[in-house]
Amino acid sequence: MFSGRHAHHHGVRNNAASHSLDQSTTVQRYLKEAGYRTGLFGKYLNSWTPADNPPHFEEFALLQPAYNDARWNVNGTVQTPAQERALGIPALAARLAAGRTG
């Protein structure tokens, strides 16, 4: 977990309870408040939906894992499987590195 606490302290006891995590006590929140830039590329929490932006990250490409047609939320824009295939993951990574989302 991003809290640095054990499960009996952060409240997320199974893979379906990611929204139970108190986001105000996460490492990324403290880093962002201290002036660091925060980013995420990949899966956030197991039951997190791609339409929900992960809190306290300035830039992100959030993956909803799937065997086929995985979806990405790139800085607040959910990428459909067709868009992902057209762009390709290397192109997506290059856009993120350049600070572009569209």
Side-chain angles (χ1 to χ4, degrees), residues 9-80:
H9 289 294
H10 62 60
V12 180
R13 305 276 169 94
N14 60 53
N15 290 339
S18 63
H19 288 281
S20 298
L21 179 63
D22 179 6
Q23 298 289 338
S24 68
T25 62
T26 58
V27 172
Q28 63 269 21
R29 176 184 167 239
Y30 295 124
L31 288 172
K32 188 174 179 183
E33 285 181 352
Y36 289 91
R37 291 186 61 189
T38 56
L40 170 73
F41 187 86
K43 185 174 80 169
Y44 182 52
L45 295 169
N46 283 336
S47 63
W48 201 265
T49 60
D52 296 332
N53 296 342
H56 310 297
F57 288 104
E58 293 172 343
E59 297 181 53
F60 55 89
L62 175 67
L63 169 68
Q64 179 185 28
Y67 289 106
N68 295 310
D69 295 330
R71 294 179 4 175
W72 290 86
N73 177 342
V74 180
N75 293 328
T77 303
V78 176
Q79 302 288 321
T80 65

